Amino acid sequence: MQQALEGVKVLDFSQLLQGPYATQMMGDLGADVIKVERNGTGDIYRGMTFFNKWIAGDESPCFMAWNRNKRSLAIDIKSEEGKAIIYKLAKETDVVVENFRPGVMKRLGYSYDDLKKINPKIIYCSASGWGADGPYLSRPGQDLLVQAVSGAIMTSGKASYGPVALGTALCDQVNGLNSVYAILSALFYRERTGKGQEIKTNLLSSAIAFQMQDFFAIQNLGTKFERPESGIGHPGNGAPFGTYKTKDGYLTIAMSPWPKLVEALGDNTLMQYNDPKVLYNQRDEIHSIIETITVTKTTDEWLEIMLGLDLWVARVYDQSEVEHNPQVIHNNTFVEVEHPKAGKVKVTNIPFTMSETPGKISRPSPMLGQHNQEILEALGYTSEAIKKLTDDNIISSEVINKSDNSC
Amino acid sequence: MQQALEGVKVLDFSQLLQGPYATQMMGDLGADVIKVERNGTGDIYRGMTFFNKWIAGDESPCFMAWNRNKRSLAIDIKSEEGKAIIYKLAKETDVVVENFRPGVMKRLGYSYDDLKKINPKIIYCSASGWGADGPYLSRPGQDLLVQAVSGAIMTSGKASYGPVALGTALCDQVNGLNSVYAILSALFYRERTGKGQEIKTNLLSSAIAFQMQDFFAIQNLGTKFERPESGIGHPGNGAPFGTYKTKDGYLTIAMSPWPKLVEALGDNTLMQYNDPKVLYNQRDEIHSIIETITVTKTTDEWLEIMLGLDLWVARVYDQSEVEHNPQVIHNNTFVEVEHPKAGKVKVTNIPFTMSETPGKISRPSPMLGQHNQEILEALGYTSEAIKKLTDDNIISSEVINKSDNSC
């Protein structure tokens, strides 16, 4: 069976999270992704990890998580010989992705304008932190900082918590998704018209667009969202929408018909709140009352009662418990791949099915420069020429520095 | 200038958030999206809002946020005449999107197998809560519940907070983005091969895939993430990564060279912590110490000092302040569109630029059934036939019920 993006060639200059996530998504659907890495050290993420712990000695879980289905070329892109190689690759590439600070690719001779001369049909996506220009141009653009400026950091939990950084790299990842959305649209357009183009994405715009419902409400209702001091799940929602302690854990209750919920809770006096306005205005009080009841039974007991009444409820899982959930097992969400150094590693599968062109994990994350030889051979370089490039340190496969910095 | 998805026809049976977000993204790049709505009431979101407040009397900000660039057809899809219309539309449609519970479209006669008979090249995307089959098949699948089961709800803030629901509809929206990613790949593939296909996405798999770095670390380092009891931004990170109180607000500090940060803070005794292992192991203590210093100056004062040293810092914005940020203004992030009933409304712009085929907001969210006539005329229905369909209540444009439920 074919893959949807088979035959699409991606030249990937990106590192850390957002760019690599985007190119991995294309690789998952069959694109041939060549990861251009800094000679000797590679993607910065190779040298960062969590808890100062590594996989198989010195492999980074952060790097490994975002770089499957890619081939690695470790190359000195500042050298003349390196540039000749990149230009040859660019000539036959469909898509370029980069997430350096704005201006870097231009200084190196790899801007859209440079590569378009070599390959007029190229699609070139630059992903920055704040935008390609403007007052924040010289500022460092990074996920947590963009969470802060986009307001996302003030939307979760209770007002008294202050800012709550989201556990996921929300801005990086949403921009990775938006980059793929833009690139695939451009590929489709090119297929119809033969025209390439330049795409510019940024974390800030993506983070704001991700909150567009909130912004729409704020700007057009002339209001503000204040996080409630209870377990209500969204500042704009009334009770019961939220999380509740049980005897042995937590239960979430989403929008559910109040009379049915009252039936499940077994306290008919709660029918006094049976009005959407009351459920909104007195949500904190109502949340507390519900919780005095939910703590009297286990989560399983509540699930049996409430699902029986078709209420919208679920158990709260800790991340480490998720792989044991029966639906997660049924969905085949986690699969194993063989890594050249680490052996079997568990990875998250492609999150959807396609009947004709299913996604596939064909390769684990590459070792640095693992594919130097095959990539250069395909460009027509002889063994001798490749050896000379290696001896001259234009290409390499050695990792020099590991830091103890967190991802 | 053309748009990337110009000429692509989308028949959109989706409602609430995830599906409408996906089809809006396609509309933003030029696809012609026909929103098939329930005769008389329309998308459930039309009847829900925040704070019991409405725009222009009874328009929902939630509906309006996710349905620009679409045309509305209000139709009784269970009637024979309605089915004839849908089948005619399906014949010339490229993409179908639906997010009913699994099985509903089949009962109605609009499954992939049904529509493929009419149009073999059709691309058909079904988005469900938990998956198209499996043990959770009969369970209600909704964003907050999926946050709970996917573990996402346990990743933000401090461990003592318990579950922290994310302020954005994370699972819905990430699945909307993944649906677009899959659909555009399928469109590209069809352009090359002529073959359509069926896509199945679900909230649960998307929510887990969004956390793939965490899962990779948990499953392959054999460890757990415990949220720290300080303002550190991610359970896997050391100090200073996190948020800090200032004299007048909050500052975020991302990964920054410790000696430079110490210089900025002006207390050289802090150099004793200059070791990544120490910054991780004693992160809560170090966070507290830093905060005793950051509270002595305003955020602006710190920004001047710290940005001057190229430290990775930013101010924390409340959502309601975001539109005043100079970079947000520069990026043209918020724009106005004219709505037939509400007048000028502010919306979030397309979050990236494309040099050849820029995204465009051509239409505000539609009124229910606003485009009945033009859609049916284009199918060849006469004015008389359209009048009869209206009289027989096969198509309509009246909204019957508004609830006071929150979005």
Side-chain angles (χ1 to χ4, degrees):
Chain A
M1 226 177 226
Q2 269 200 291
Q3 286 201 273
L5 302 181
E6 218 164 299
V8 174
K9 292 184 178 188
V10 180
L11 195 57
D12 178 11
F13 292 88
S14 71
Q15 52 182 346
L16 295 167
L17 206 162
Q18 57 155 324
Y21 180 35
T23 55
Q24 174 167 294
M25 281 187 260
M26 287 187 274
D28 282 356
L29 299 191
D32 177 20
V33 182
I34 294 180
K35 185 174 176 77
V36 179
E37 296 196 73
R38 184 188 282 238
N39 204 1
T41 51
D43 187 330
I44 299 171
Y45 247 18
R46 288 187 183 271
M48 297 168 80
T49 189
F50 293 124
F51 318 112
N52 302 314
K53 287 175 83 173
W54 302 86
I55 294 173
D58 61 356
E59 293 293 310
S60 158
C62 309
F63 177 81
M64 292 175 85
W66 304 117
N67 289 289
R68 69 191 184 200
N69 284 334
K70 299 179 191 177
R71 298 189 293 159
S72 169
L73 173 66
I75 184 168
D76 177 2
I77 61 173
K78 291 181 181 166
S79 69
E80 217 172 287
E81 299 93 327
K83 187 174 269 186
I85 292 167
I86 296 295
Y87 281 1
K88 276 185 198 168
L89 286 169
K91 209 176 164 80
E92 54 182 48
T93 279
D94 300 292
V95 177
V96 169
V97 176
E98 65 93 8
N99 63 351
F100 290 107
R101 279 201 198 183
V104 171
M105 287 294 268
K106 190 171 178 173
R107 275 205 304 282
L108 295 170
Y110 305 123
S111 70
Y112 175 58
D113 288 336
D114 295 316
L115 301 189
K116 185 172 63 167
K117 282 180 202 144
I118 300 168
N119 178 353
K121 289 175 66 176
I122 211 160
I123 291 164
Y124 189 107
C125 179
S126 291
S128 64
W130 306 107
D133 41 42
Y136 276 32
L137 183 58
S138 63
R139 289 206 193 191
Q142 182 275 346
D143 183 82
L144 181 68
L145 306 181
V146 177
Q147 286 194 27
V149 173
S150 68
I153 204 167
M154 296 299 278
T155 59
S156 302
K158 310 179 183 184
S160 59
Y161 290 172
V164 175
L166 303 175
T168 55
L170 184 82
C171 311
D172 268 340
Q173 291 183 230
V174 171
N175 198 56
L177 283 156
N178 276 334
S179 297
V180 167
Y181 153 40
I183 290 167
L184 293 176
S185 299
L187 268 171
F188 175 77
Y189 179 77
R190 192 183 75 162
E191 206 62 22
R192 292 198 156 179
T193 64
K195 287 186 193 155
Q197 62 181 309
E198 184 175 27
I199 295 160
K200 292 176 186 169
T201 69
N202 69 81
L203 302 185
L204 179 62
S205 296
S206 282
I208 294 172
F210 200 71
Q211 303 169 68
M212 69 169 82
Q213 178 173 286
D214 283 1
F215 284 112
F216 198 99
I218 291 168
Q219 296 178 339
N220 298 294
L221 288 174
T223 190
K224 274 179 78 162
F225 287 107
E226 296 284 356
R227 293 169 292 170
E229 281 302 310
S230 63
I232 296 295
H234 184 277
N237 280 86
F241 194 87
T243 61
Y244 296 87
K245 269 189 205 149
T246 64
K247 204 187 236 178
D248 63 346
Y250 290 96
L251 183 72
T252 42
I253 307 179
M255 43 285 272
S256 292
W258 186 249
K260 271 199 191 175
L261 184 62
V262 171
E263 185 187 340
L265 293 170
D267 178 356
N268 224 39
T269 65
L270 296 174
M271 279 306 289
Q272 65 180 296
Y273 303 113
N274 188 26
D275 173 347
K277 284 198 175 61
V278 174
L279 288 169
Y280 179 77
N281 293 328
Q282 293 170 241
R283 58 188 177 168
D284 287 356
E285 172 196 341
I286 297 169
H287 181 275
S288 302
I289 296 170
I290 295 174
E291 199 161 66
T292 62
I293 302 173
T294 55
V295 291
T296 62
K297 293 191 203 302
T298 65
T299 308
D300 270 344
E301 287 168 340
W302 284 122
L303 286 176
E304 197 180 328
I305 294 168
M306 293 185 173
L307 288 173
L309 290 163
D310 206 24
L311 289 164
W312 287 26
V313 294
R315 163 196 299 283
V316 170
Y317 283 69
D318 186 86
Q319 281 178 320
S320 62
E321 302 165 328
V322 169
E323 64 177 310
H324 307 300
N325 173 280
Q327 184 70 35
V328 171
I329 293 167
H330 177 87
N331 288 347
N332 203 24
T333 304
F334 298 108
V335 292
E336 284 187 336
V337 293
E338 192 73 30
H339 183 272
K341 192 164 150 199
K344 280 201 194 330
V345 290
K346 251 191 206 173
V347 302
T348 306
N349 213 341
I350 291 106
F352 49 78
T353 61
M354 300 180 78
S355 63
E356 280 292 314
T357 60
K360 199 164 79 186
I361 303 174
S362 312
R363 300 171 184 277
S365 59
M367 306 298 293
L368 179 62
Q370 186 185 341
H371 307 92
N372 284 355
Q373 175 133 356
E374 69 176 64
I375 291 166
L376 293 181
E377 277 175 359
L379 284 181
Y381 285 81
T382 62
S383 301
E384 293 72 41
I386 295 169
K387 186 173 180 308
K388 184 164 186 333
L389 287 166
T390 309
D391 292 345
D392 294 349
N393 212 25
I394 304 300
I395 60 172
S396 81
S397 53
E398 195 187 352
V399 180
I400 292 168
N401 282 312
K402 292 275 169 187
S403 79
D404 286 313
N405 288 322
S406 305
C407 298
Chain B
M1 227 177 227
Q2 270 201 291
Q3 286 200 275
L5 302 181
E6 219 164 298
V8 174
K9 293 184 176 187
V10 180
L11 194 57
D12 179 11
F13 293 89
S14 71
Q15 52 182 346
L16 295 166
L17 206 162
Q18 56 155 325
Y21 180 34
T23 56
Q24 174 167 293
M25 282 187 260
M26 287 187 275
D28 282 356
L29 299 192
D32 177 19
V33 182
I34 295 181
K35 186 173 176 80
V36 179
E37 296 196 75
R38 184 188 282 238
N39 204 359
T41 51
D43 187 330
I44 299 171
Y45 247 18
R46 287 188 183 270
M48 297 168 79
T49 189
F50 293 123
F51 319 113
N52 303 315
K53 288 175 83 172
W54 302 85
I55 295 173
D58 61 357
E59 293 293 310
S60 158
C62 309
F63 177 82
M64 292 175 84
W66 304 117
N67 289 288
R68 69 192 184 201
N69 284 334
K70 299 179 192 177
R71 298 190 293 159
S72 169
L73 173 66
I75 185 168
D76 177 2
I77 60 172
K78 291 181 181 167
S79 69
E80 218 172 288
E81 299 92 327
K83 185 175 271 186
I85 293 167
I86 297 295
Y87 281 1
K88 276 185 199 167
L89 286 169
K91 210 178 163 79
E92 55 183 47
T93 279
D94 300 291
V95 177
V96 169
V97 176
E98 66 93 6
N99 63 352
F100 289 107
R101 280 201 198 183
V104 171
M105 288 294 267
K106 189 170 176 174
R107 276 204 304 281
L108 295 171
Y110 305 122
S111 70
Y112 174 58
D113 288 335
D114 296 316
L115 300 189
K116 185 172 63 167
K117 282 180 201 142
I118 301 168
N119 179 351
K121 288 175 66 177
I122 211 160
I123 291 164
Y124 189 106
C125 179
S126 292
S128 64
W130 307 106
D133 42 41
Y136 276 32
L137 182 59
S138 63
R139 289 206 192 192
Q142 182 275 347
D143 183 81
L144 181 68
L145 306 181
V146 177
Q147 285 193 30
V149 173
S150 69
I153 204 167
M154 296 299 279
T155 60
S156 300
K158 310 179 184 185
S160 59
Y161 290 171
V164 175
L166 303 175
T168 55
L170 184 82
C171 310
D172 268 340
Q173 291 183 230
V174 171
N175 198 56
L177 283 156
N178 276 335
S179 297
V180 168
Y181 152 40
I183 291 167
L184 294 176
S185 299
L187 269 171
F188 175 78
Y189 179 77
R190 193 183 74 162
E191 207 61 23
R192 292 201 155 176
T193 64
K195 287 184 194 157
Q197 62 181 310
E198 183 174 28
I199 296 161
K200 292 176 185 168
T201 69
N202 70 81
L203 303 185
L204 179 61
S205 296
S206 282
I208 294 172
F210 200 70
Q211 303 168 67
M212 69 170 81
Q213 178 173 285
D214 283 1
F215 283 112
F216 198 99
I218 290 168
Q219 295 178 338
N220 298 293
L221 288 175
T223 190
K224 274 179 79 164
F225 287 107
E226 296 283 356
R227 292 169 292 169
E229 281 302 311
S230 63
I232 296 295
H234 184 277
N237 280 85
F241 192 88
T243 61
Y244 296 87
K245 268 188 205 149
T246 64
K247 206 187 233 177
D248 64 346
Y250 290 95
L251 182 73
T252 41
I253 307 179
M255 44 284 273
S256 292
W258 187 249
K260 273 198 189 175
L261 184 62
V262 171
E263 185 187 340
L265 294 169
D267 179 356
N268 224 38
T269 65
L270 294 174
M271 279 305 289
Q272 64 180 298
Y273 302 113
N274 187 26
D275 172 347
K277 284 198 174 62
V278 174
L279 288 168
Y280 179 77
N281 293 328
Q282 293 170 243
R283 57 189 178 168
D284 288 356
E285 174 196 341
I286 296 169
H287 182 275
S288 302
I289 296 170
I290 295 174
E291 200 161 66
T292 62
I293 302 173
T294 55
V295 292
T296 62
K297 293 191 203 303
T298 66
T299 307
D300 270 343
E301 287 167 340
W302 283 121
L303 285 176
E304 198 181 328
I305 294 168
M306 292 185 174
L307 287 173
L309 290 164
D310 206 25
L311 288 164
W312 288 27
V313 294
R315 164 195 301 282
V316 170
Y317 282 70
D318 187 87
Q319 281 179 319
S320 62
E321 303 165 328
V322 169
E323 64 178 311
H324 308 300
N325 173 280
Q327 184 69 35
V328 170
I329 294 167
H330 176 87
N331 288 347
N332 202 24
T333 304
F334 299 108
V335 293
E336 285 186 336
V337 293
E338 192 73 31
H339 183 270
K341 191 166 152 199
K344 280 200 196 327
V345 290
K346 252 192 206 172
V347 302
T348 307
N349 214 340
I350 290 107
F352 48 78
T353 62
M354 299 180 77
S355 63
E356 280 293 314
T357 60
K360 200 163 78 185
I361 303 175
S362 312
R363 301 172 183 277
S365 58
M367 306 298 291
L368 179 62
Q370 187 184 341
H371 306 93
N372 285 354
Q373 177 134 356
E374 68 176 64
I375 292 166
L376 292 181
E377 276 175 0
L379 284 180
Y381 285 82
T382 62
S383 303
E384 294 71 41
I386 294 168
K387 186 173 180 307
K388 182 163 187 334
L389 286 166
T390 309
D391 291 345
D392 293 349
N393 212 25
I394 304 300
I395 58 172
S396 82
S397 53
E398 194 185 355
V399 179
I400 294 167
N401 282 310
K402 293 273 170 188
S403 78
D404 285 314
N405 289 322
S406 305
C407 299

Short mmCIF file of all heavy atoms in Angstrom, two decimals, chain A residues 89-116:
data_model
loop_
_atom_site.label_atom_id
_atom_site.label_comp_id
_atom_site.label_asym_id
_atom_site.label_seq_id
_atom_site.Cartn_x
_atom_site.Cartn_y
_atom_site.Cartn_z
N LEU A 89 20.83 19.21 -3.04
CA LEU A 89 19.62 18.64 -2.42
C LEU A 89 18.41 19.55 -2.67
O LEU A 89 17.31 19.08 -2.95
CB LEU A 89 19.82 18.45 -0.91
CG LEU A 89 20.73 17.29 -0.50
CD1 LEU A 89 21.08 17.38 0.99
CD2 LEU A 89 20.07 15.94 -0.81
N ALA A 90 18.65 20.86 -2.56
CA ALA A 90 17.54 21.81 -2.74
C ALA A 90 16.95 21.72 -4.14
O ALA A 90 15.75 21.93 -4.34
CB ALA A 90 18.02 23.23 -2.46
N LYS A 91 17.79 21.40 -5.09
CA LYS A 91 17.36 21.32 -6.48
C LYS A 91 16.26 20.27 -6.66
O LYS A 91 15.37 20.42 -7.48
CB LYS A 91 18.57 20.96 -7.35
CG LYS A 91 18.50 21.48 -8.77
CD LYS A 91 19.79 21.15 -9.50
CE LYS A 91 19.58 21.29 -10.99
NZ LYS A 91 19.64 22.68 -11.42
N GLU A 92 16.34 19.21 -5.88
CA GLU A 92 15.36 18.13 -6.06
C GLU A 92 14.40 18.00 -4.87
O GLU A 92 13.74 16.99 -4.70
CB GLU A 92 16.07 16.81 -6.31
CG GLU A 92 17.10 16.44 -5.27
CD GLU A 92 17.82 15.12 -5.63
OE1 GLU A 92 18.26 14.97 -6.79
OE2 GLU A 92 17.91 14.25 -4.75
N THR A 93 14.35 19.06 -4.06
CA THR A 93 13.50 19.02 -2.87
C THR A 93 12.14 19.67 -3.14
O THR A 93 12.04 20.61 -3.91
CB THR A 93 14.22 19.74 -1.71
OG1 THR A 93 15.14 18.83 -1.14
CG2 THR A 93 13.28 20.20 -0.64
N ASP A 94 11.11 19.16 -2.51
CA ASP A 94 9.79 19.77 -2.63
C ASP A 94 9.55 20.81 -1.55
O ASP A 94 8.96 21.86 -1.79
CB ASP A 94 8.71 18.69 -2.55
CG ASP A 94 8.85 17.65 -3.64
OD1 ASP A 94 8.62 18.02 -4.80
OD2 ASP A 94 9.24 16.51 -3.36
N VAL A 95 9.99 20.48 -0.34
CA VAL A 95 9.65 21.32 0.82
C VAL A 95 10.90 21.57 1.66
O VAL A 95 11.67 20.65 1.94
CB VAL A 95 8.60 20.61 1.70
CG1 VAL A 95 8.28 21.45 2.95
CG2 VAL A 95 7.33 20.31 0.93
N VAL A 96 11.10 22.83 2.06
CA VAL A 96 12.14 23.17 3.03
C VAL A 96 11.46 23.66 4.30
O VAL A 96 10.49 24.42 4.24
CB VAL A 96 13.08 24.28 2.48
CG1 VAL A 96 13.98 24.84 3.58
CG2 VAL A 96 13.90 23.75 1.32
N VAL A 97 11.95 23.19 5.44
CA VAL A 97 11.45 23.67 6.73
C VAL A 97 12.62 24.15 7.56
O VAL A 97 13.66 23.48 7.62
CB VAL A 97 10.69 22.55 7.49
CG1 VAL A 97 10.25 23.02 8.87
CG2 VAL A 97 9.49 22.06 6.69
N GLU A 98 12.48 25.31 8.17
CA GLU A 98 13.55 25.81 9.04
C GLU A 98 12.94 26.60 10.19
O GLU A 98 11.90 27.24 10.02
CB GLU A 98 14.55 26.64 8.24
CG GLU A 98 14.02 27.94 7.65
CD GLU A 98 14.23 29.16 8.55
OE1 GLU A 98 14.93 29.06 9.58
OE2 GLU A 98 13.67 30.23 8.23
N ASN A 99 13.57 26.55 11.34
CA ASN A 99 13.11 27.37 12.46
C ASN A 99 14.25 28.10 13.19
O ASN A 99 14.24 28.20 14.41
CB ASN A 99 12.21 26.59 13.44
CG ASN A 99 12.91 25.43 14.13
OD1 ASN A 99 14.04 25.08 13.79
ND2 ASN A 99 12.25 24.83 15.10
N PHE A 100 15.21 28.57 12.43
CA PHE A 100 16.22 29.48 12.99
C PHE A 100 15.57 30.83 13.31
O PHE A 100 14.46 31.11 12.85
CB PHE A 100 17.37 29.71 12.00
CG PHE A 100 18.26 28.52 11.79
CD1 PHE A 100 18.20 27.78 10.62
CD2 PHE A 100 19.16 28.14 12.77
CE1 PHE A 100 19.02 26.68 10.42
CE2 PHE A 100 19.99 27.04 12.58
CZ PHE A 100 19.92 26.30 11.40
N ARG A 101 16.28 31.66 14.06
CA ARG A 101 15.78 33.03 14.24
C ARG A 101 15.75 33.71 12.87
O ARG A 101 16.61 33.44 12.02
CB ARG A 101 16.70 33.81 15.19
CG ARG A 101 16.44 33.52 16.67
CD ARG A 101 16.98 34.65 17.54
NE ARG A 101 17.12 34.22 18.93
CZ ARG A 101 17.52 35.03 19.92
NH1 ARG A 101 17.83 36.29 19.68
NH2 ARG A 101 17.63 34.58 21.15
N PRO A 102 14.78 34.60 12.65
CA PRO A 102 14.68 35.25 11.34
C PRO A 102 16.02 35.87 10.92
O PRO A 102 16.70 36.49 11.72
CB PRO A 102 13.62 36.35 11.59
CG PRO A 102 12.77 35.82 12.69
CD PRO A 102 13.70 35.02 13.57
N GLY A 103 16.39 35.66 9.67
CA GLY A 103 17.63 36.25 9.14
C GLY A 103 18.79 35.27 9.04
O GLY A 103 19.68 35.46 8.22
N VAL A 104 18.78 34.23 9.84
CA VAL A 104 19.92 33.30 9.85
C VAL A 104 20.08 32.60 8.51
O VAL A 104 21.18 32.53 7.95
CB VAL A 104 19.78 32.26 11.00
CG1 VAL A 104 20.84 31.17 10.87
CG2 VAL A 104 19.87 32.95 12.36
N MET A 105 18.99 32.08 7.96
CA MET A 105 19.08 31.34 6.69
C MET A 105 19.55 32.25 5.56
O MET A 105 20.27 31.81 4.66
CB MET A 105 17.74 30.70 6.34
CG MET A 105 17.39 29.51 7.23
SD MET A 105 18.50 28.08 7.01
CE MET A 105 17.62 27.16 5.75
N LYS A 106 19.18 33.49 5.62
CA LYS A 106 19.62 34.44 4.60
C LYS A 106 21.14 34.65 4.70
O LYS A 106 21.84 34.63 3.68
CB LYS A 106 18.88 35.77 4.79
CG LYS A 106 19.11 36.72 3.64
CD LYS A 106 18.22 37.93 3.71
CE LYS A 106 18.59 38.84 2.53
NZ LYS A 106 17.67 39.96 2.42
N ARG A 107 21.62 34.84 5.91
CA ARG A 107 23.07 35.02 6.10
C ARG A 107 23.85 33.82 5.58
O ARG A 107 24.94 33.95 5.06
CB ARG A 107 23.39 35.20 7.59
CG ARG A 107 23.25 36.62 8.10
CD ARG A 107 24.11 36.88 9.33
NE ARG A 107 23.85 35.96 10.44
CZ ARG A 107 22.80 36.06 11.26
NH1 ARG A 107 21.92 37.03 11.09
NH2 ARG A 107 22.65 35.19 12.24
N LEU A 108 23.27 32.62 5.73
CA LEU A 108 23.96 31.41 5.32
C LEU A 108 23.82 31.13 3.82
O LEU A 108 24.47 30.24 3.28
CB LEU A 108 23.43 30.21 6.11
CG LEU A 108 23.69 30.22 7.63
CD1 LEU A 108 22.90 29.11 8.30
CD2 LEU A 108 25.18 30.08 7.92
N GLY A 109 22.94 31.87 3.16
CA GLY A 109 22.74 31.64 1.72
C GLY A 109 21.66 30.62 1.42
O GLY A 109 21.61 30.06 0.32
N TYR A 110 20.77 30.37 2.40
CA TYR A 110 19.73 29.37 2.20
C TYR A 110 18.32 29.93 2.37
O TYR A 110 17.39 29.23 2.77
CB TYR A 110 19.92 28.20 3.18
CG TYR A 110 21.29 27.56 3.11
CD1 TYR A 110 22.10 27.48 4.24
CD2 TYR A 110 21.77 27.04 1.92
CE1 TYR A 110 23.35 26.89 4.19
CE2 TYR A 110 23.03 26.45 1.85
CZ TYR A 110 23.82 26.38 2.99
OH TYR A 110 25.06 25.80 2.92
N SER A 111 18.15 31.21 2.11
CA SER A 111 16.81 31.80 2.22
C SER A 111 15.93 31.31 1.09
O SER A 111 16.39 30.66 0.15
CB SER A 111 16.92 33.33 2.14
OG SER A 111 17.26 33.70 0.81
N TYR A 112 14.65 31.63 1.19
CA TYR A 112 13.73 31.28 0.11
C TYR A 112 14.22 31.85 -1.22
O TYR A 112 14.24 31.14 -2.24
CB TYR A 112 12.32 31.79 0.42
CG TYR A 112 11.34 31.58 -0.70
CD1 TYR A 112 11.08 30.30 -1.20
CD2 TYR A 112 10.66 32.66 -1.28
CE1 TYR A 112 10.18 30.10 -2.24
CE2 TYR A 112 9.76 32.46 -2.32
CZ TYR A 112 9.52 31.19 -2.79
OH TYR A 112 8.64 30.98 -3.83
N ASP A 113 14.64 33.11 -1.18
CA ASP A 113 15.10 33.74 -2.43
C ASP A 113 16.30 33.01 -3.02
O ASP A 113 16.43 32.86 -4.23
CB ASP A 113 15.43 35.22 -2.19
CG ASP A 113 14.15 36.04 -1.98
OD1 ASP A 113 13.09 35.60 -2.47
OD2 ASP A 113 14.22 37.09 -1.32
N ASP A 114 17.20 32.56 -2.15
CA ASP A 114 18.36 31.81 -2.64
C ASP A 114 17.95 30.48 -3.27
O ASP A 114 18.39 30.15 -4.37
CB ASP A 114 19.33 31.50 -1.47
CG ASP A 114 19.93 32.77 -0.87
OD1 ASP A 114 20.34 33.65 -1.65
OD2 ASP A 114 19.97 32.87 0.37
N LEU A 115 17.12 29.74 -2.57
CA LEU A 115 16.79 28.38 -3.04
C LEU A 115 15.81 28.39 -4.20
O LEU A 115 15.82 27.49 -5.05
CB LEU A 115 16.27 27.52 -1.88
CG LEU A 115 17.26 27.36 -0.71
CD1 LEU A 115 16.74 26.32 0.29
CD2 LEU A 115 18.66 26.97 -1.18
N LYS A 116 14.98 29.42 -4.26
CA LYS A 116 14.05 29.55 -5.37
C LYS A 116 14.79 29.68 -6.70
O LYS A 116 14.30 29.23 -7.74
CB LYS A 116 13.19 30.80 -5.12
CG LYS A 116 12.08 31.04 -6.10
CD LYS A 116 11.18 32.19 -5.66
CE LYS A 116 11.94 33.51 -5.59
NZ LYS A 116 10.99 34.68 -5.47
#
